[in-house]
Amino acid sequence: MAAAVPALKHWRTALERVEKFVSPLYFTDCNLRGRLFGDRRPVAALASFLTPERLRYQDAVQQDFRPAQVGDRFGPTWWTCWFRVELIIPEAWVGQEVHLCWESDGEGLVWRDGEPVQGLTTEGEKNSYILTNRLGEGDPRSLTLYVEVACNGLLGAGKGTMIAPPDPEKMFQLSRAELAVFHRDVHQLLVDLELLLGIAKGLGKDSQRSFQALYTANRMVNVCDPARPETYPVAQALASCFFSQRGGDSQHTLHAMGHCHIDTAWLWPFKETVRKCARSWVTALKLMEQNADFIFVCSQAQQLEWVKSHYPSLYAQLQEFACRGQFVPVGGTWVEMDGNLPSGEAMVRQFLQGQSFFLREFGKLCSEFWLPDTFGYSAQLPQIMRGCGITRFLTQKLSWNLVNSFPHHTFLWEGLDGSHVLVHFPPGDSYGMQGNVEEVLKTVTNNQDKGRANHSAFLFGFGDGGGGPTQTMLDRLRRLSNTDGLPRLLLLNQFHDVVTGSCIQLVAEDAMKHYEDIRSHGNTLLSAAAGALCAGEPGPEGLLVVNTLPWKRTEVLALPKPGGAQSLALVTVPSMGCVPAPILTSPQPPPPQQPVFVMQETDGSVTLDNGIIRVRLNPTGHLTSLVLVASGREAIAEGALGNQFVLFDDVPLYWDAWDVMDYHLETRKPVLGQAGTLAVGTEGGLRGSAWFLLQISPNSQLSQEVVLDIGCPYVRFHTEVHWHEAHKFLKVEFPARVRSPQATYEIQFGHLQRPTHYNTSWDWARFEVWTHRWMDLSEHGFGLALLNNCKYGASARGNVLSLSLLRAPKAPDATADMGCHEFIYALMPHEGSFQDAGVIPAAYSLNFPLLALPAPGPAPATAWSAFSLSSPAVVLETVKQAETTTQNRTLVLRLYEAHGSHVDCWVHTSLPVQEAILCDLLERRDPAGHLPFQDSRLKVTFSPFQVRSLLLVLQPPSN
């Protein structure tokens, strides 16, 4: 007679009993975990070679391999160690599943018969490669593999901590290389028991289902003898009985999405990302082959392009699985870009290039924007998405908020212009789930839209540094699918750190090289454009002044003189056009505006006055007065100093290059200037200026020239900083004689308002915000705008405008921001609203100065304008050649309404237009978008902040 099962069990002892039965640390000599692998054999031979290069397979296998053994160390960081692994499988293993077990530091990629077949990363829980699922009688017993091991981990090679700068001398070690029989039935039982433990712990002692899970696991331990495989089916049947009990239709549904987020560059260089993609995606392909219901989803066209170039056979397999519906590209952009810093046109190009790639390579456009790992979301993104055929958006990073928790996970996002997209934030607060019970329950518990939205995304797979899903994750999720007591789980699996500077030094260096290439190529295009404008006429070289902005400009420009010197000239250039540069040797007509007046007082202060604004600087370079001359209105707060540099301690809780904490504001220290350093620079006329030096600290210095030009409504601050600090934050402040509860900040294709007070926690959390070219603080009838040409952090607290200039984080790049910086900011007082006062065109003009281009022939004798607009509320942001036409006669014009108003705008052009038609941001024609064109103009209607794109087909040249 069988022994009676006790009616009462002690919760903790039962729980720990099961934990020890599956533990990889305790009792492995007699527990189930110790039986995962059976017979083992060392590899027949092992050889290796080291290289600082990232070689292609064909070149690597030709190198001089030398004998190697387990325990060998290799490196240093960013090198590659190739291993040649020779294997002989014992005859006795026929009928068994055979693995190559491999454990080493670094990221490995297995090559078999000249093709990549699987990634090997201890951090990504991929320590074995399946040689055969079942060794057959006729299968080869000997084979040779190559394992390419990158000397870096999934998350780089930080010295001490993950985000610390890489340790250039770090060494890596091979700790395991052997053949082993893998017991798949043991693996399945381990998954069962781990999940039952998770359910028991997650649901707790108040849940009937929790006790059922614990009792089932305890019974499985009773019937399962690890030394007797014939007992395994009985234990498996108990687990199957539990997991087959289904939940009701009303349960919350999780959509499990296989995902492998790979930062295009972060704690590793761009070139290593190429290999990360290969390691991750070839592993995903193996999972697709072995799991017909597994659909792997990935974003970022750039990474796919890299794999296409470097691993063509792997890419061909990805395309094949895409046709089967198992590999699904998503996202619609070239990379997962930053959501704050790029311009509107840069964002459009992300979608234009990305969607074009997906359509060309995979036959369809993406309908969702995928941005799981990016901080910040522009209010114009919904309109840009809609214009690119995208109606849904997924992201996750709002879960990192420290002060406020976002109140929704599924909602409609309304953009600045009124466009809507459906947004989902996965409630599990992660895009790298592993499929365990705790994560599943957290997803349901966290959901902020209970009762309104009964579905959530569940993103699983190792991410950031790649890796992706594992077979164990898939096995877990299958068991949890619709199991009673848990949410319903559908195994649908459907589904940026460079521009911000939060990357390692190698990535920053690569980015600077890219920018140098772009600048060089851009200069070549400028020279070609100048030649085209001169119609290629032969003759002595002239000089062409070009205005790239859509309004007429009269500005002071420094023109080259013989011998390398420069001379100032006042030049008027039509909208998006050019004029010949004035001949400096001939007499110039008197300027139409009041010349700039410069005076230095006996106390050392300097006054600059151009009849529009009057600027007064004290002997230390502080701004003591800024007067709008016509009204006599003072812009600087009484008794306060503008252009005040301030230094803050900048030590976040952990994420050094990412986070700015609120408590940094408590460490404010004004940088004190030294009297007598202010001197007159340019003495007046077309331009007046004063300059000074400032010692920021014993290690850092600043020099600045304060410049006022004739006819210019703003004063510029040309600044050079030699910055050598650690965990310091430099800002400049302007206390304004303006009172308003909100300030206005430019974003892509528009602007928005943010509070100047800290009334709520939501207001307080915005102590530092992002802006593009300008911010403005206005009351009725008067305001003060702060313009800049390259800074993105700002704040308006009360009446103080503050621009963030430089930080000094030490991780992940210890040299971040160190060295010489040059930048310009400007201050513009104005009457009326910032829209009517011209703040927006002023900020554009600061960022896009007139260009003086050497012409290969005589410059045109008269002014020429390509485009002009009838409304100051509309900005012609971009003129470019169409991407989607094979002919060169089609242009794309991108315009947007910048004031926040309904407006009709006439677009005038001197170009021979044959046809004008509206299109979307992907340059697809609007069937109802034909625009009448007559008298060299066409009319376009705008609603507030609307972005519109036109296709202009030019007439063919006459023979």
Side-chain angles (χ1 to χ4, degrees):
M1 180 176 180
V5 177
L8 185 66
K9 294 264 331 150
H10 187 269
W11 172 274
R12 177 178 171 183
T13 57
L15 197 71
E16 290 198 17
R17 181 196 186 198
V18 180
E19 287 177 336
K20 296 302 187 292
F21 193 68
V22 299
S23 172
L25 300 176
Y26 302 101
F27 306 111
T28 55
D29 61 325
C30 60
N31 73 2
L32 187 63
R33 178 76 62 178
R35 302 286 174 163
L36 185 59
F37 287 95
D39 290 346
R40 305 165 190 261
R41 295 288 188 277
V43 299
L46 193 64
S48 68
F49 89 93
L50 266 170
T51 173
E53 306 297 330
R54 294 175 175 87
L55 299 179
R56 292 180 180 264
Y57 171 85
Q58 295 85 345
D59 298 321
V61 296
Q62 301 299 320
Q63 304 302 311
D64 181 20
F65 284 77
R66 301 192 176 183
Q69 61 185 2
V70 172
D72 281 356
R73 297 173 63 82
F74 53 91
T77 303
W78 309 131
W79 282 49
T80 300
C81 189
W82 284 81
F83 290 90
R84 185 173 62 222
V85 187
E86 297 181 32
L87 308 172
I88 299 178
I89 304 174
E91 190 69 32
W93 291 3
V94 170
Q96 304 287 328
E97 182 174 335
V98 182
H99 288 203
L100 168 65
C101 297
W102 183 278
E103 293 182 20
S104 70
D105 304 322
E107 293 188 79
L109 177 62
V110 181
W111 293 80
R112 185 172 182 173
D113 298 327
E115 300 294 341
V117 290
Q118 187 187 300
L120 291 173
T121 54
T122 301
E123 298 164 285
E125 298 182 2
K126 298 177 180 68
N127 290 324
S128 68
Y129 164 62
I130 302 175
L131 293 168
T132 174
N133 291 311
R134 182 181 177 86
L135 184 65
E137 292 284 355
D139 291 342
R141 300 293 187 268
S142 63
L143 66 156
T144 299
L145 305 177
Y146 289 86
V147 180
E148 175 189 11
V149 181
C151 295
N152 53 265
L154 273 181
L155 296 174
K159 188 174 184 177
T161 66
M162 180 185 76
I163 65 169
D167 180 358
E169 303 302 324
K170 184 174 181 178
M171 298 300 291
F172 298 74
Q173 187 173 30
L174 174 62
S175 54
R176 187 183 183 191
E178 62 182 6
L179 287 173
V181 172
F182 183 77
H183 294 146
R184 181 65 59 180
D185 49 1
V186 173
H187 166 79
Q188 301 293 359
L189 283 172
L190 288 171
V191 172
D192 289 334
L193 288 165
E194 288 172 345
L195 291 176
L196 290 167
L197 280 171
I199 293 171
K201 293 177 182 177
L203 296 181
K205 296 182 180 180
D206 294 331
S207 168
Q208 169 74 13
R209 191 63 169 157
S210 170
F211 279 89
Q212 292 175 356
L214 181 59
Y215 276 47
T216 299
N218 186 74
R219 290 179 63 195
M220 290 174 65
V221 176
N222 286 337
V223 303
C224 178
D225 182 350
R228 297 174 58 208
E230 65 269 20
T231 65
Y232 296 171
V234 180
Q236 182 72 59
L238 291 170
S240 297
C241 181
F242 177 91
F243 289 116
S244 64
Q245 296 174 19
R246 298 305 183 194
D249 291 339
S250 65
Q251 286 181 298
H252 191 88
T253 301
L254 304 188
H255 299 266
M257 304 180 185
H259 178 231
C260 176
H261 175 66
I262 303 177
D263 286 315
T264 299
W266 181 32
L267 303 176
W268 52 86
F270 288 102
K271 291 180 180 179
E272 192 56 46
T273 307
V274 178
R275 300 200 295 187
K276 282 179 175 289
C277 294
R279 290 189 288 261
S280 301
W281 296 351
V282 74
T283 305
L285 281 174
K286 290 299 176 185
L287 291 176
M288 293 179 220
E289 291 174 352
Q290 297 160 8
N291 303 268
D293 58 344
F294 173 55
I295 299 174
F296 182 75
V297 186
C298 81
S299 62
Q300 308 194 78
Q302 172 64 85
Q303 295 181 4
L304 287 161
E305 177 66 37
W306 278 336
V307 170
K308 179 181 179 181
S309 173
H310 291 79
Y311 302 89
S313 62
L314 169 57
Y315 186 76
Q317 292 179 75
L318 293 178
Q319 289 183 309
E320 179 183 341
F321 276 93
C323 292
R324 299 182 190 178
Q326 285 189 265
F327 181 83
V328 182
V330 295
T333 54
W334 191 249
V335 297
E336 291 179 6
M337 74 280 196
D338 182 78
N340 290 342
L341 271 61
S343 69
E345 186 61 25
M347 283 188 168
V348 170
R349 288 199 65 78
Q350 281 286 338
F351 286 99
L352 176 59
Q353 297 299 324
Q355 290 283 57
S356 298
F357 179 89
F358 293 130
L359 181 62
R360 181 176 67 252
E361 298 291 326
F362 296 96
K364 65 177 183 177
L365 298 174
C366 299
S367 59
E368 66 291 307
F369 182 29
W370 190 264
L371 206 63
D373 191 32
T374 294
F375 301 86
Y377 313 97
S378 168
Q380 281 287 30
L381 269 173
Q383 181 179 190
I384 294 173
M385 286 186 239
R386 281 280 184 179
C388 296
I390 286 176
T391 58
R392 301 187 295 271
F393 177 44
L394 184 143
T395 187
Q396 182 268 322
K397 262 312 194 264
L398 273 185
S399 66
W400 281 40
N401 282 2
L402 292 177
V403 179
N404 301 290
S405 295
F406 195 77
H408 297 289
H409 284 105
T410 305
F411 60 96
L412 288 175
W413 180 16
E414 181 176 322
L416 197 61
D417 73 316
S419 298
H420 292 81
V421 291
L422 178 64
V423 179
H424 182 62
F425 299 152
D429 292 346
S430 174
Y431 49 79
M433 300 290 200
Q434 298 186 29
N436 60 51
V437 175
E438 180 184 2
E439 296 166 342
V440 169
L441 293 176
K442 178 182 178 181
T443 299
V444 179
T445 303
N446 272 14
N447 179 32
Q448 296 293 316
D449 300 291
K450 297 180 180 72
R452 188 172 66 87
N454 208 29
H455 296 256
S456 295
F458 186 90
L459 316 180
F460 71 95
F462 289 101
D464 287 337
T470 66
Q471 184 63 55
T472 300
M473 295 177 191
L474 289 168
D475 292 341
R476 290 170 184 158
L477 292 171
R478 281 203 186 91
R479 285 162 174 77
L480 296 179
S481 176
N482 206 19
T483 295
D484 186 33
L486 297 174
R488 178 184 302 176
L489 195 148
L490 302 182
L491 191 60
L492 300 180
N493 309 301
Q494 293 174 357
F495 342 0
H496 7 12
D497 282 291
V498 177
V499 70
T500 58
S502 50
C503 53
I504 62 172
Q505 183 179 356
L506 276 174
V507 176
E509 291 171 353
D510 285 345
M512 293 306 295
K513 292 175 184 176
H514 294 161
Y515 286 130
E516 289 172 7
D517 291 343
I518 292 169
R519 182 182 295 274
S520 175
H521 184 58
N523 286 335
T524 301
L525 291 175
L526 278 176
S527 298
L533 290 171
C534 295
E537 296 180 12
E541 287 193 1
L543 197 64
L544 202 61
V545 180
V546 177
N547 173 18
T548 60
L549 297 178
W551 42 77
K552 180 181 177 181
R553 298 163 69 182
T554 299
E555 296 178 11
V556 177
L557 186 63
L559 298 175
K561 294 173 62 177
Q566 289 187 328
S567 181
L568 299 178
L570 188 65
V571 184
T572 297
V573 192
S575 167
M576 284 200 168
C578 62
V579 296
I583 301 173
L584 299 177
T585 56
S586 62
Q588 299 298 308
Q593 302 105 323
Q594 175 184 312
V596 180
F597 171 80
V598 180
M599 175 180 288
Q600 185 160 28
E601 306 288 350
T602 56
D603 65 355
S605 63
V606 172
T607 298
L608 310 174
D609 189 334
N610 67 356
I612 300 173
I613 58 175
R614 183 167 58 248
V615 180
R616 184 178 175 87
L617 303 168
N618 73 10
T620 61
H622 291 104
L623 184 63
T624 58
S625 177
L626 177 60
V627 174
L628 200 57
V629 173
S631 64
R633 175 66 187 266
E634 174 63 61
I636 301 299
E638 185 175 359
L641 298 176
N643 202 35
Q644 173 66 65
F645 293 96
V646 286
L647 206 58
F648 299 83
D649 295 338
D650 185 18
V651 185
L653 297 176
Y654 177 72
W655 296 98
D656 199 359
W658 294 262
D659 288 352
V660 174
M661 307 306 299
D662 54 359
Y663 52 76
H664 89 279
L665 297 172
E666 302 172 34
T667 67
R668 179 182 180 274
K669 300 177 185 67
V671 180
L672 303 177
Q674 183 177 355
T677 62
L678 186 68
V680 173
T682 306
E683 296 183 346
L686 295 181
R687 173 173 292 171
S689 71
W691 65 275
F692 63 92
L693 302 174
L694 181 65
Q695 193 71 32
I696 300 172
S697 75
N699 300 316
S700 300
Q701 303 84 32
L702 176 150
S703 63
Q704 187 173 80
E705 184 179 19
V706 184
V707 180
L708 184 62
D709 282 351
I710 188 172
C712 187
Y714 53 83
V715 57
R716 304 194 303 276
F717 299 82
H718 294 245
T719 311
E720 181 178 297
V721 182
H722 292 267
W723 182 246
H724 302 281
E725 300 294 326
H727 296 113
K728 298 295 180 183
F729 195 168
L730 181 67
K731 304 183 185 184
V732 65
E733 296 177 347
F734 293 92
R737 193 181 175 192
V738 177
R739 181 173 176 81
S740 176
Q742 61 185 17
T744 307
Y745 302 81
E746 188 194 34
I747 66 169
Q748 299 90 345
F749 298 135
H751 58 265
L752 48 77
Q753 287 76 41
R754 300 186 180 105
T756 60
H757 54 75
Y758 295 159
N759 286 358
T760 70
S761 63
W762 296 87
D763 301 331
W764 167 246
R766 289 181 279 185
F767 55 84
E768 172 94 1
V769 297
W770 64 278
T771 188
H772 275 208
R773 288 168 286 230
W774 59 268
M775 62 184 295
D776 182 84
L777 184 67
S778 289
E779 59 189 37
H780 178 68
F782 183 80
L784 183 63
L786 178 55
L787 323 176
N788 83 91
N789 75 338
C790 63
K791 300 300 176 183
Y792 293 89
S795 67
R797 168 71 171 122
N799 69 325
V800 178
L801 298 177
S802 175
L803 187 66
S804 299
L805 302 177
L806 292 168
R807 295 183 67 218
K810 297 303 170 188
D813 180 2
T815 67
D817 278 1
M818 296 298 100
C820 182
H821 297 259
E822 295 182 10
F823 49 85
I824 302 171
Y825 54 87
L827 211 55
M828 179 178 172
H830 60 84
E831 290 185 322
S833 69
F834 69 84
Q835 293 99 326
D836 295 338
V839 166
I840 296 171
Y844 268 93
S845 295
L846 180 70
N847 280 266
F848 300 97
L850 296 175
L851 300 174
L853 301 179
T862 59
W864 175 79
S865 171
F867 297 98
S868 62
L869 307 177
S870 66
S871 172
V874 176
V875 175
L876 176 51
E877 172 84 4
T878 301
V879 178
K880 61 182 288 291
Q881 189 169 304
E883 308 270 339
T884 56
T885 177
T886 56
Q887 298 178 328
N888 296 329
R889 295 188 296 108
T890 303
L891 300 179
V892 173
L893 273 59
R894 188 111 53 231
L895 308 97
Y896 73 96
E897 197 288 319
H899 286 183
S901 61
H902 287 84
V903 66
D904 292 339
C905 179
W906 289 95
V907 180
H908 300 257
T909 180
S910 62
L911 301 180
V913 174
Q914 176 177 298
E915 180 187 17
I917 190 166
L918 292 170
C919 64
D920 66 7
L921 297 180
L922 299 183
E923 303 179 9
R924 297 177 298 182
R925 291 177 170 230
D926 181 348
H930 179 77
L931 298 173
F933 181 80
Q934 58 184 16
D935 299 329
S936 300
R937 65 176 190 166
L938 55 90
K939 186 173 77 171
V940 186
T941 300
F942 292 84
S943 57
F945 303 115
Q946 185 178 15
V947 180
R948 308 212 73 172
S949 300
L950 312 179
L951 288 172
L952 295 186
V953 181
L954 304 183
Q955 297 174 5
S958 57
N959 295 327

